[in-house]
Amino acid sequence: RQLAAEKNLARDVVFSAVESAIASSYRSEGESGPSVQVTLDPTNGAINAFYEKTIVPEVEDENLEMALDEAQQYKTDAALGEVIRFQLPDNESRVAAQTVKQVVLQRLREAEKEIILSEFEGREGEILTATIQRIEPTKIIVDMGRAEALLPISQQVTSERYRQGSMIKVLLQAIDKESLRGPELIVSRTDELLLKRLFEQEV
């Protein structure tokens, strides 16, 4: 609940991230086999970890299917087509706890970024005020309030001197959704549309 409030995320998003993270912790422990599913009780935090197998006449995927005779060892009245659920004990190792923490934080960062970027969708071509946060050889990272944006070297004015902490007006040029690091905002100081928008503001 605290994370949801701090990061302005829906509680369902946070719970889903925790459930996915706990499921990942079982895989990280080196367990090969069926895909683990996890549900978290929002009222008391109880963890329910399990995997399921379908009873089939001929097993093709041992991770998802099981033969009838094997299923009847667990449930005497098992029938073909039925799904058998296998409960798993709590994964309480230190490695599991670290994995859960890392995955939760990663998922929340991704969710937060998606929500923030959705606020900028459709705003390409707008002038925004940004603060220079970090200067790198090929780009400048600028802060636009709740989101960061990239000012590539190709979109920088060669005669301008950029200083960390200074504020600049930029044009939101594009949202790069194909980036390996996830969606990124691309801004410009050289786009002709920036000049046009500046004139519109002043005249």
Side-chain angles (χ1 to χ4, degrees):
R1 285 194 295 268
Q2 184 181 346
L3 279 170
E6 284 177 358
K7 296 183 176 296
N8 197 26
L9 294 171
R11 282 182 60 187
D12 289 347
V13 172
V14 179
F15 274 105
S16 177
V18 175
E19 289 171 347
S20 298
I22 295 171
S24 296
S25 75
Y26 282 88
R27 291 191 291 274
S28 72
E29 288 288 295
E31 290 193 12
S32 59
S35 177
V36 176
Q37 301 177 56
V38 170
T39 58
L40 189 67
D41 188 330
T43 59
N44 59 16
I47 296 167
N48 179 31
F50 61 91
Y51 64 88
E52 296 176 333
K53 287 190 176 185
T54 304
I55 304 170
V56 295
E58 188 175 342
V59 176
E60 293 182 359
D61 187 342
E62 292 184 354
N63 291 331
L64 301 174
E65 302 167 339
M66 66 189 308
L68 180 60
D69 56 349
E70 183 186 358
Q72 288 174 339
Q73 295 175 22
Y74 301 96
K75 186 182 178 185
T76 54
D77 60 345
L80 288 173
E82 191 175 347
V83 176
I84 303 289
R85 176 173 289 189
F86 297 89
Q87 297 296 135
L88 291 167
D90 287 349
N91 195 355
E92 297 177 346
S93 73
R94 178 177 290 185
V95 174
Q98 287 298 318
T99 300
V100 169
K101 181 180 179 181
Q102 291 168 6
V103 175
V104 165
L105 293 176
Q106 180 185 345
R107 294 287 173 88
L108 292 185
R109 278 195 298 268
E110 291 170 358
E112 189 178 20
K113 195 170 186 179
E114 288 291 341
I115 290 172
I116 292 170
L117 288 173
S118 69
E119 295 179 9
F120 290 91
E121 214 151 18
R123 296 179 63 187
E124 292 90 339
E126 282 188 24
I127 282 186
L128 302 166
T129 301
T131 303
I132 296 176
Q133 197 171 61
R134 192 167 68 253
I135 299 173
E136 298 181 2
T138 59
K139 61 180 179 283
I140 294 174
I141 312 299
V142 298
D143 180 12
M144 300 202 296
R146 288 193 61 205
E148 286 185 350
L150 304 183
L151 177 62
I153 194 168
S154 61
Q155 300 301 318
Q156 298 171 23
V157 179
T158 54
S159 59
E160 286 185 333
R161 300 187 69 178
Y162 300 102
R163 293 181 177 85
Q164 189 171 344
S166 61
M167 297 178 69
I168 56 173
K169 287 188 181 293
V170 293
L171 182 89
L172 179 57
Q173 193 174 54
I175 299 176
D176 182 7
K177 296 183 179 179
E178 305 301 321
S179 171
L180 294 175
R181 290 172 29 174
E184 291 181 330
L185 302 175
I186 309 297
V187 295
S188 174
R189 282 285 297 169
T190 62
D191 196 303
E192 291 181 3
L193 190 56
L194 174 67
L195 187 61
K196 180 180 178 182
R197 293 283 180 259
L198 287 170
F199 269 111
E200 288 174 350
Q201 286 185 354
E202 295 299 324
V203 176

